[in-house]
Amino acid sequence: MLVCCFVFAGVQAQKITRDYNNVSLSEALRQLNEQTEEYTISFLYNELEDFRITTSVHRKTIPDAIRQMIGFYPIRMTVDDKEIIVECPLKTALRYKGTVIDEQGLPLAYANIAILNPVDSTLLGGGVSNESGYFAIPYEQDKVLARISYVGYKTIYKICSQSEVGVIRLQVDNYALKGVTVKGHVPQYQMGSEGLVTNVENTILSKLGTGEDVLTHVPGITKKDGYFEVFGKGAPLIYINGRLMRDASELDQLKSENIKSVELITNPGAKYDASIKAVVKIRTKAAQGEGFGFDVRSSYYQSENTDLVKQLNWNYRHNNLDVFGTIYYGLNNGHYPSNTTTIVETDTLWRQNFVQDYKPKKQSWRNTVGANYLLDDNNSIGMRYTLTLRPDNHTNTSLSSDVTADGEYFDHLDNTVHADVSYRPAHLLNVYYKGKIGKAEIDFNTDYLYNRESDHAVYTEQSTSQENRVVNSENRERNKLFASKLIVDFPLWGGGLTVGAEYTYTNRNDDYINPEHYVPTSFAKLKESHIAPFVEYNRQIDRFQFSAGVRYEWVSFDYFENDLHLDEQSRSFGNLFPTLSVGTRIGKTQLHLGYSAKVRRPTYQQLSNNVTYGNRFLLQSGNPFLRHEYIHDLSLTGVWKFLQFAISYNDRRDAVIYWAEQQADNSAVTRLTQTNIPTLKSIMAQVAIAPKFGFWSPELSVGMQKQWLTLHTDVRTYQMNKPIFQLSLNNAFDFGYGWVASVDAYLTTKGNDENVYSSRNKGAVNVSLTKSLLNDHLSIRVQGNDLFHTEKQGMLLYAGRMHSEQTSWYDSREFVLTLRYNFNTTRSKYKGTGAGNDEKNRL
């Protein structure tokens, strides 16, 4: 990323402060020339494009800044009055290019590269690697001998007959400096333009196995119950090269060695949907190579049940055409036991103790095919189509309940539920254009989504005191979505301006049928149109990077029940959502302060008026009267060497929480639903350290989340203010020779979250061992998850006239064996980002 800053002071020479990170010299000079009036910078773009720079310039004149940028490259600069001429004296189109790294995969800056004649070793030319280990050296002879040397490391000689030398790994020479080792270093953590960047390339994180393993080791991100969450923010949106991840298995498809960096954004700007509270952006390394390649993966999971994953990724690339696809099969057999005690205080004190055993079986096939075509170096078009099939999905649930009334025995219920879920093929299509017209960069996406499912359940309820029941239910859902998004970026007034708009249209049918009429039958239809223009401006002034933006969202929502338009539940409204941030560097400390206004829209299930049968005392439904939740967020993040910290304040207006209501005609029957409360304020703080000790890379994180909530129920008032602490310790070990191990653990303490008290500590210990073979084409990975089976959750819910205490767990302790083989893998260049991403999540 290139960040520019200009300082004007009277008639003094223009001074600049800039940070360059793996930027081509041509691009750096082009932008510098556009934004300076003091000099005209003349150069040939193609001549200097291969020379990439990584350096920081602080308050230097234009000529001095260019000299620093050139460094040790064989490039000449001439200053003639107000014209600066930059050129490569060796006028040849051929250049040897490569990267020098150490044994740990870190770049080596200022390594010596000498180009020799392979016949008599006479010197033909040479150069020096930059701060990212990269070098580019002009040459004329087709075949040369390259000598790569660095103080404290063994010298390497390599015959080169192609311009791409590749990655050159140097080994420490223990005798050269009599025990003194000199090593290069690149910061693993740094502040990016939007959030905290964890560099993965050339670190031990690149050897962990999959993208899922990498995210587990990113400070601020925790995996719980099989899902990722950002501490204090909830589940994030995850993007891979700008494309929204629609299926969690995509992280398993992504090999860690292909990941360049992970950026965690806890204060997303105006170009993101206003409901998004956290974003994870995964960037992969530049794709190389042509021809056909594939990646095969097979995983076996053994817990109380057996789960399977089979996957084939394929790719064909030739010149500007890129065709790719994925065939994925997943089998998941789950087991979720729980013990619950529910107390309802009405005219009678009802108490229900029940033991539940829930066993789902899910199968899925996902087939993806896509194509990408590069029109030229700056423009590309493409499409991506995903077909999802779920041939066999069903659940079996048993529920045993003991019911008392005012302390006296009332009934014993035995419930069994068998549900079969029938899915029609689900379709998701994305078409995109990404390019550049003049100075404007354009990103356009259009998405279409269609899915349909039917859930038929049979509840068999046996009572010792009352009549037995057989309850049949049919829940049918159909979703259609069309979405488009346009983003345009262009330079303005020494900074960058982003403008764009997003449009989504959703049509959802949600029917619930109960022929016995124990719960109402309803046929609901929901239609929503969503238009959101936005603008954001970024500029660096001296040492400060400023960003300000605003997003306007207009929503029109229509609710139909039994083909009748319900005016009270339907609504239209518009809101402004501003964002503001400033970043700076104080010494070696990087800081980022941000404010944003966000919204949390109820899901369509939460808005549904359908009533689901649990047993004769317990029902569940949505609430079509729910209001949207508006959130004000103020956050500060920082990085100092291997230490990171973050603190944020959150004010949720009209916060949505779980609630309980009694049936009007029978107070013994409780209906679980949702409601709004006026406000919910909280603060979050987290500190993480990630040093490195030889082959051991630990990462320790400590976080605290505290809310302020005085909860008024229909029975009494509760103070829900106890903080929750979270500790995690992740350890990665690189033993060399293809052996990599990890030992990870986390602990979440008791405390309050919304109107729930977490009544037990929760945590897990996970281990893994990976061995790479056949020159990294084959890998074998053995994992043990939740070794001590401690990932159990306790919760106490206060709502209406009910409070409910539950302990739940699942078959989280498991053994995993994964085999992966790849042949000539060439990753897709697909650049589509998708549109209507938040709306897809709501569906």
Side-chain angles (χ1 to χ4, degrees):
M1 185 190 75
L2 180 60
V3 180
C4 303
C5 168
F6 291 90
V7 179
F8 296 91
V11 296
Q12 294 181 357
Q14 183 179 355
K15 299 292 183 67
I16 65 169
T17 296
R18 305 184 181 185
D19 290 324
Y20 299 92
N21 184 11
N22 196 28
V23 178
S24 77
L25 181 58
S26 297
E27 182 64 18
L29 292 175
R30 183 189 67 79
Q31 295 196 19
L32 183 61
N33 184 56
E34 288 179 353
Q35 298 174 3
T36 179
E37 299 178 355
E38 188 176 355
Y39 291 94
T40 298
I41 305 173
S42 301
F43 63 97
L44 294 177
Y45 196 97
N46 293 340
E47 184 179 77
L48 305 180
E49 189 173 13
D50 288 335
F51 299 100
R52 309 191 68 82
I53 61 173
T54 299
T55 189
S56 295
V57 178
H58 177 60
R59 292 188 60 80
K60 290 193 174 183
T61 64
I62 299 293
D64 287 343
I66 296 176
R67 290 187 184 96
Q68 181 175 333
M69 292 156 55
I70 293 173
F72 292 99
Y73 280 135
I75 296 173
R76 181 171 58 204
M77 182 187 77
T78 304
V79 180
D80 184 7
D81 193 20
K82 295 300 181 181
E83 182 179 13
I84 299 177
I85 301 173
V86 184
E87 61 179 338
C88 180
L90 299 176
K91 305 298 182 181
T92 173
L94 302 176
R95 295 183 179 92
Y96 285 114
K97 297 173 288 185
T99 304
V100 184
I101 61 175
D102 65 7
E103 290 176 304
Q104 305 302 323
L106 299 175
L108 285 176
Y110 312 117
N112 241 322
I113 300 93
I115 302 300
L116 310 176
N117 189 320
V119 178
D120 55 11
S121 296
T122 56
L123 183 65
L124 302 177
V128 177
S129 62
N130 66 13
E131 294 181 21
S132 60
Y134 176 84
F135 64 87
I137 302 171
Y139 74 97
E140 296 179 347
Q141 188 167 312
D142 291 337
K143 187 176 182 180
V144 299
L145 175 65
R147 182 183 66 202
I148 302 95
S149 60
Y150 192 86
V151 177
Y153 289 79
K154 296 178 180 178
T155 299
I156 286 181
Y157 290 86
K158 185 174 183 179
I159 293 292
C160 302
S161 56
Q162 296 180 349
S163 61
E164 293 290 345
V165 180
V167 177
I168 301 169
R169 186 186 298 269
L170 298 185
Q171 294 182 335
V172 174
D173 188 346
N174 295 323
Y175 300 99
L177 294 179
K178 298 182 179 180
V180 178
T181 303
V182 180
K183 294 188 177 181
H185 175 71
V186 63
Q188 187 165 354
Y189 306 100
Q190 62 192 66
M191 292 303 303
S193 59
E194 297 181 280
L196 182 65
V197 177
T198 299
N199 292 310
V200 178
E201 185 179 12
N202 297 329
T203 72
I204 194 172
L205 298 183
S206 65
K207 303 178 182 180
L208 292 180
T210 68
E212 185 171 313
D213 301 315
V214 171
L215 287 193
T216 303
H217 286 254
V218 173
I221 302 177
T222 305
K223 186 180 181 183
K224 294 182 180 179
D225 301 333
Y227 299 94
F228 286 101
E229 68 176 43
V230 176
F231 186 68
K233 302 289 183 177
L237 280 187
I238 300 176
Y239 289 84
I240 302 175
N241 289 336
R243 180 183 58 81
L244 178 68
M245 187 189 77
R246 297 303 312 156
D247 192 303
S249 65
E250 291 187 49
L251 287 174
D252 274 340
Q253 299 173 28
L254 183 60
K255 297 171 65 177
S256 59
E257 66 188 57
N258 293 335
I259 298 177
K260 182 178 181 65
S261 66
V262 176
E263 185 171 10
L264 174 59
I265 306 169
T266 56
N267 194 16
K271 63 184 176 181
Y272 298 99
D273 190 283
S275 64
I276 306 305
K277 294 190 291 183
V279 173
V280 174
K281 295 169 66 174
I282 299 174
R283 296 180 178 88
T284 63
K285 295 189 293 186
Q288 297 179 354
E290 290 205 349
F292 178 77
F294 66 86
D295 182 312
V296 182
R297 171 218 176 180
S298 177
S299 293
Y300 172 84
Y301 301 79
Q302 184 62 58
S303 56
E304 299 176 28
N305 302 287
T306 300
D307 302 330
L308 300 172
V309 170
K310 308 293 182 182
Q311 178 182 312
L312 168 66
N313 304 318
W314 60 270
N315 185 274
Y316 175 77
R317 180 178 298 125
H318 179 67
N319 295 332
N320 293 339
L321 177 65
D322 178 30
V323 183
F324 59 91
T326 296
I327 301 174
Y328 173 91
Y329 169 76
L331 170 65
N332 185 287
N333 293 287
H335 184 205
Y336 300 85
S338 63
N339 299 321
T340 306
T341 298
T342 298
I343 297 175
V344 180
E345 301 181 50
T346 60
D347 52 353
T348 302
L349 181 64
W350 295 96
R351 181 186 181 98
Q352 186 175 184
N353 297 320
F354 53 87
V355 177
Q356 179 173 285
D357 200 52
Y358 171 63
K359 295 181 178 180
K361 178 183 178 181
K362 300 179 181 179
Q363 287 191 86
S364 64
W365 287 91
R366 190 183 68 255
N367 300 276
T368 298
V369 64
N372 182 82
Y373 186 76
L374 299 178
L375 302 173
D376 54 41
D377 290 341
N378 295 318
N379 297 273
S380 64
I381 57 175
M383 60 78 64
R384 181 187 183 99
Y385 170 71
T386 300
L387 173 68
T388 303
L389 306 172
R390 296 181 174 92
D392 182 18
N393 287 265
H394 62 260
T395 63
N396 288 291
T397 306
S398 63
L399 181 67
S400 179
S401 309
D402 290 306
V403 185
T404 63
D406 291 331
E408 300 294 328
Y409 170 82
F410 184 82
D411 201 356
H412 175 81
L413 301 173
D414 285 315
N415 293 66
T416 59
V417 185
H418 178 78
D420 289 305
V421 185
S422 175
Y423 293 91
R424 296 287 182 90
H427 309 271
L428 176 61
L429 175 67
N430 170 254
V431 179
Y432 86 92
Y433 163 74
K434 190 176 182 69
K436 191 172 183 180
I437 301 177
K439 296 182 180 180
E441 296 182 4
I442 301 173
D443 188 347
F444 175 75
N445 282 264
T446 292
D447 279 35
Y448 173 77
L449 177 148
Y450 176 85
N451 59 51
R452 186 174 180 179
E453 65 180 78
S454 177
D455 184 348
H456 178 74
V458 179
Y459 300 76
T460 303
E461 186 174 272
Q462 295 182 332
S463 169
T464 58
S465 303
Q466 303 177 64
E467 84 282 358
N468 296 330
R469 288 182 179 180
V470 175
V471 181
N472 291 272
S473 71
E474 184 84 19
N475 185 204
R476 298 194 294 254
E477 295 180 4
R478 187 186 67 184
N479 299 299
K480 292 182 179 179
L481 176 142
F482 174 79
S484 289
K485 186 174 184 179
L486 173 66
I487 301 176
V488 181
D489 297 287
F490 54 89
L492 181 68
W493 302 329
L497 182 68
T498 299
V499 297
E502 186 168 10
Y503 169 77
T504 61
Y505 172 76
T506 307
N507 188 324
R508 175 183 173 92
N509 291 78
D510 191 352
D511 304 334
Y512 190 87
I513 304 168
N514 172 226
E516 296 86 10
H517 303 294
Y518 289 115
V519 296
T521 293
S522 65
F523 299 89
K525 180 184 291 185
L526 301 89
K527 294 183 178 180
E528 183 172 296
S529 295
H530 180 186
I531 302 173
F534 56 86
V535 60
E536 190 171 77
Y537 182 71
N538 301 274
R539 182 171 180 179
Q540 183 151 341
I541 302 175
D542 198 14
R543 283 186 168 271
F544 296 92
Q545 174 74 33
F546 293 95
S547 176
V550 64
R551 183 183 180 99
Y552 177 76
E553 297 195 352
W554 170 260
V555 178
S556 176
F557 176 74
D558 292 293
Y559 187 89
F560 300 82
E561 192 164 307
N562 300 323
D563 290 328
L564 295 177
H565 185 270
L566 302 184
D567 296 336
E568 193 174 3
Q569 285 95 326
S570 303
R571 67 202 80 163
S572 297
F573 48 87
N575 297 96
L576 283 172
F577 299 97
T579 61
L580 179 66
S581 68
V582 58
T584 189
R585 179 192 295 266
I586 303 175
K588 295 184 178 181
T589 303
Q590 303 172 67
L591 299 172
H592 187 273
L593 176 67
Y595 163 79
S596 64
K598 296 293 180 182
V599 65
R600 180 186 176 191
R601 302 182 186 88
T603 66
Y604 287 104
Q605 188 174 25
Q606 290 175 322
L607 291 171
S608 173
N609 211 21
N610 293 343
V611 179
T612 303
Y613 189 86
N615 63 23
R616 64 189 64 196
F617 295 99
L618 193 62
L619 308 175
Q620 186 168 352
S621 75
N623 179 3
F625 296 98
L626 279 178
R627 299 183 299 276
H628 289 191
E629 177 180 316
Y630 295 96
I631 305 166
H632 299 274
D633 187 279
L634 182 66
S635 62
L636 174 67
T637 57
V639 179
W640 178 80
K641 294 185 177 179
F642 55 77
L643 183 145
Q644 306 166 46
F645 65 89
I647 185 169
S648 68
Y649 172 77
N650 204 266
D651 184 3
R652 298 166 55 187
R653 309 286 177 87
D654 286 330
V656 177
I657 64 172
Y658 274 103
W659 204 244
E661 298 176 352
Q662 306 311 121
Q663 292 288 89
D665 57 346
N666 186 355
S667 63
V669 179
T670 302
R671 183 166 59 93
L672 291 175
T673 183
Q674 291 86 26
T675 191
N676 296 100
I677 58 174
T679 183
L680 179 56
K681 299 178 175 65
S682 62
I683 191 171
M684 183 277 294
Q686 186 176 39
V687 176
I689 58 172
K692 190 175 186 301
F693 306 101
F695 65 88
W696 175 36
S697 297
E699 185 258 308
L700 174 65
S701 177
V702 180
M704 183 275 293
Q705 180 179 334
K706 176 179 172 56
Q707 68 176 24
W708 287 269
L709 175 62
T710 300
L711 181 70
H712 302 284
T713 71
D714 298 332
V715 179
R716 57 184 59 87
T717 298
Y718 299 92
Q719 298 298 324
M720 312 287 287
N721 301 327
K722 185 174 181 180
I724 295 176
F725 291 89
Q726 180 173 290
L727 298 88
S728 65
L729 176 60
N730 298 325
N731 303 272
F733 304 89
D734 185 0
F735 300 112
Y737 303 101
W739 290 96
V740 176
S742 67
V743 180
D744 305 328
Y746 84 89
L747 172 67
T748 302
T749 67
K750 303 175 183 178
N752 290 116
D753 185 14
E754 296 180 349
N755 56 330
V756 174
Y757 174 67
S758 296
S759 57
R760 63 179 294 158
N761 298 327
K762 177 184 177 182
V765 176
N766 308 316
V767 300
S768 72
L769 179 65
T770 303
K771 172 60 177 174
S772 298
L773 302 165
L774 303 180
N775 206 18
D776 291 337
H777 287 293
L778 174 67
S779 67
I780 304 173
R781 181 181 176 86
V782 180
Q783 293 173 253
N785 295 329
D786 193 11
L787 296 184
F788 305 105
H789 210 192
T790 52
E791 204 162 32
K792 300 180 179 181
Q793 180 171 298
M795 55 175 287
L796 184 57
L797 170 69
Y798 301 95
R801 293 186 172 276
M802 181 194 79
H803 69 266
S804 178
E805 185 171 8
Q806 182 182 81
T807 302
S808 60
W809 60 98
Y810 70 106
D811 52 341
S812 56
R813 181 163 55 183
E814 64 182 0
F815 164 81
V816 185
L817 175 64
T818 299
L819 301 178
R820 186 188 294 269
Y821 180 80
N822 65 79
F823 169 78
N824 192 31
T825 49
T826 57
R827 293 178 307 286
S828 165
K829 297 179 180 180
Y830 196 77
K831 300 178 181 180
T833 60
N837 295 324
D838 176 63
E839 193 68 8
K840 297 172 195 171
N841 288 338
R842 293 178 69 205
L843 291 174

